[in-house]
Amino acid sequence: MQSKTNKKGGITQIFVDFITSESFGGIFLAISTVLALIVANSSLGHFYHDFFHMRFGFQLDTYFVGFSIHDWINDVLMAFFFLLVGLEIKREMIFGELNSFSKAAFPAIAAVGGMIVPGLIYYGLNIGTNSAHGFGIPMATDIAFALGVMMILGKHIPLALKMFLVTLAVVDDLGAIIVIALFYGGDISAFWLGVSGVIVLLLLICNSLGVKSLLVYLFFGVLLWFSVHLSGVHATIAAVILAFCIPVKAKRDFSHFQDSLNHWTTNYVKDSKQNVLLDSGQLHMIHDIQQIAVDAQNPLLRLEHFLQPWSAYFIMPLFAFANAGVSVAGNFDFSIDHIFWGIFLGLVVGKPIGVFLATFACEKFGIAKRPDSISWGHILGAGMLAGIGFTMSLFVSALAFDIEESKELAKVSILLASFASCVIGVLFLLFYGKVKK
């Protein structure tokens, strides 16, 4: 009986570990994508499209306050995703792989090369057409999918290669955010841009004064989102700016938390009576412990850890489900300019070439050195996986095109290119690993 219990507990623990692992985020995205394709191509297809285009909000006299459900997901919920991305970038810049030039240069230059070459391929194929504005679509890398594939490959690739791809994807996300802010906004309103600047100044003042309450920053963050949205700049940038204003230092040192625990343990806990109902002193002690525990936590990491599961298990899968539902039976006009080939060649061919050439030049010119455990074959394989654009590419495509036919063609192109990049990258790294052995 004992062995059965242990076995059951072991299987449960393995399942929990898998669900909470980094790779599951990518797998969950894939499940949501497949589910969206199944629903969109079933008898429920028209309900699927009608639901996400339905307006949600309230009527104020003759003015409607709200968005379509699709825009609530893409503009509002995705703001929390970009807030998380901004927090991760700031953490990496202070504590991680981007905190020094020597560590950041090699993967950062790889990310720049992996953005420029795909963008040039797309723009070169579509220059002079109405679709040239979509050059930002093949520039992006989906970190969740790419890391999910990396985790599945496991021991077939060196750990340093995973760190290289993580850092590359972080810089890639930052680049994508800059591209979105600069090229995919609307008409600029000087007034609302000025209001946004004032709110950013208030956030910086709060940070310099040592304000640690996340509620204060989130309050100003909501105001910043509205002002940036009304300014004509895409509101994505508001979430990233807010992330960079979140304080890093905790309100109290961890040593204060340890001293308080030791004091309560020594002078109070041992003398307390063991009753089912807690007395007022015990309740007061628990409240104090909770407050001091919060004060000892890093605000940036606390917000990041709070947003991480919401992003991985709700926001990103919902975004994928709302945006990946393309009717396969639809008559796609692949001759609309060169959208398909621009996206497909940009992600499948441009990404690995851009990453490889940029890193090769980086080492040859002595800017930064390639990690010892990573070969040029590994770099090429990572570049192939970086061609999994999916989430960010879908996000940019929704901003790049106004015509529905172009949007649908872009979605199909992204799905095919990301799938091709995934398969080619996995097969290449597995084959290269065997040859190297």
Side-chain angles (χ1 to χ4, degrees):
M1 176 68 80
Q2 185 66 32
S3 61
K4 288 182 180 179
T5 305
N6 289 340
K7 185 177 180 181
K8 184 178 179 181
I11 293 172
T12 304
Q13 188 59 46
I14 290 171
F15 179 75
V16 170
D17 291 342
F18 173 70
I19 293 295
T20 56
S21 68
E22 288 179 285
S23 60
F24 186 73
I27 294 170
F28 201 12
L29 269 179
I31 294 171
S32 301
T33 303
V34 172
L35 187 61
L37 289 169
I38 292 172
V39 173
N41 289 278
S42 69
S43 57
L44 300 173
H46 64 287
F47 290 111
Y48 169 88
H49 293 290
D50 291 345
F51 173 77
F52 286 114
H53 285 90
M54 185 172 61
R55 296 200 305 174
F56 183 76
F58 58 91
Q59 196 75 32
L60 191 62
D61 291 333
T62 58
Y63 186 72
F64 177 76
V65 180
F67 308 98
S68 67
I69 293 178
H70 185 268
D71 288 339
W72 273 105
I73 295 169
N74 284 25
D75 291 345
V76 180
L77 277 183
M78 284 297 283
F80 292 99
F81 164 74
F82 282 106
L83 173 59
L84 176 63
V85 170
L87 293 170
E88 290 174 342
I89 292 172
K90 182 176 181 179
R91 172 171 51 78
E92 288 295 320
M93 292 178 70
I94 297 174
F95 304 111
E97 295 296 315
L98 300 177
N99 71 344
S100 68
F101 178 81
S102 59
K103 288 196 292 184
F106 193 77
I109 290 173
V112 173
M115 294 182 71
I116 291 175
V117 175
L120 288 176
I121 289 175
Y122 182 94
Y123 191 75
L125 290 172
N126 290 277
I127 189 169
T129 69
N130 295 326
S131 304
H133 199 52
F135 66 89
I137 298 172
M139 296 173 72
T141 295
D142 191 298
I143 188 170
F145 262 130
L147 281 182
V149 174
M150 278 280 191
M151 294 294 288
I152 292 170
L153 286 170
K155 295 180 181 179
H156 294 285
I157 56 174
L159 180 61
L161 187 64
K162 180 192 171 188
M163 296 307 301
F164 169 79
L165 186 61
V166 169
T167 312
L168 182 154
V170 169
V171 178
D172 192 286
D173 280 346
L174 180 59
I177 289 164
I178 294 171
V179 168
I180 290 168
L182 292 177
F183 299 104
Y184 294 105
D187 295 329
I188 303 298
S189 167
F191 172 76
W192 286 108
L193 204 59
V195 172
S196 303
V198 172
I199 297 172
V200 172
L201 183 61
L202 291 173
L203 282 166
L204 293 173
I205 291 172
C206 288
N207 194 308
S208 63
L209 291 176
V211 176
K212 306 298 181 185
S213 173
L214 287 174
L215 289 177
V216 172
Y217 291 95
L218 293 176
F219 171 74
F220 282 118
V222 172
L223 297 181
L224 181 63
W225 186 93
F226 277 107
S227 62
V228 171
H229 178 73
L230 294 171
S231 73
V233 178
H234 196 270
T236 296
I237 198 68
V240 180
I241 292 172
L242 173 62
F244 275 81
C245 293
I246 301 294
V248 175
K249 191 176 180 181
K251 189 174 183 179
R252 294 179 183 271
D253 293 334
F254 187 75
S255 58
H256 176 77
F257 175 70
Q258 282 184 310
D259 292 341
S260 299
L261 281 182
N262 292 335
H263 173 74
W264 284 315
T265 302
T266 304
N267 300 309
Y268 188 82
V269 176
K270 290 182 179 178
D271 297 331
S272 299
K273 294 180 180 179
Q274 300 298 321
N275 295 323
V276 175
L277 297 177
L278 301 178
D279 59 36
S280 60
Q282 290 170 322
L283 291 172
H284 181 70
M285 182 186 71
I286 291 172
H287 178 268
D288 286 346
I289 291 174
Q290 289 175 331
Q291 186 58 51
I292 293 176
V294 170
D295 291 344
Q297 293 177 49
N298 179 310
L300 185 145
L301 291 180
R302 185 153 60 94
L303 183 57
E304 184 182 338
H305 289 165
F306 173 78
L307 290 174
Q308 184 66 50
W310 283 99
S311 175
Y313 305 129
F314 177 66
I315 296 174
M316 298 304 294
L318 184 59
F319 172 84
F321 183 74
N323 287 272
V326 182
S327 177
V328 179
N331 295 318
F332 297 108
D333 185 3
F334 285 92
S335 64
I336 299 178
D337 301 326
H338 292 97
I339 292 176
F340 173 77
W341 287 114
I343 294 173
F344 191 87
L345 293 177
L347 288 172
V348 178
V349 179
K351 272 289 183 181
I353 290 177
V355 169
F356 186 85
L357 290 180
T359 50
F360 187 79
C362 176
E363 183 165 296
K364 292 304 175 185
F365 286 107
I367 299 172
K369 187 178 181 298
R370 172 172 43 94
D372 295 332
S373 60
I374 299 179
S375 67
W376 289 115
H378 288 133
I379 296 292
L380 185 60
M384 293 172 182
L385 293 182
I388 305 174
F390 195 66
T391 306
M392 292 297 287
S393 294
L394 285 174
F395 189 82
V396 175
S397 70
L399 304 174
F401 301 122
D402 296 324
I403 302 172
E404 196 63 30
E405 289 79 4
S406 298
K407 286 185 179 182
E408 293 297 296
L409 178 57
K411 287 181 183 180
V412 173
S413 306
I414 292 165
L415 291 174
L416 291 174
S418 296
F419 179 74
S421 294
C422 178
V423 173
I424 294 170
V426 169
L427 292 177
F428 176 84
L429 285 171
L430 288 175
F431 178 76
Y432 181 77
K434 288 185 178 181
V435 170
K436 212 164 184 292
K437 285 182 180 179

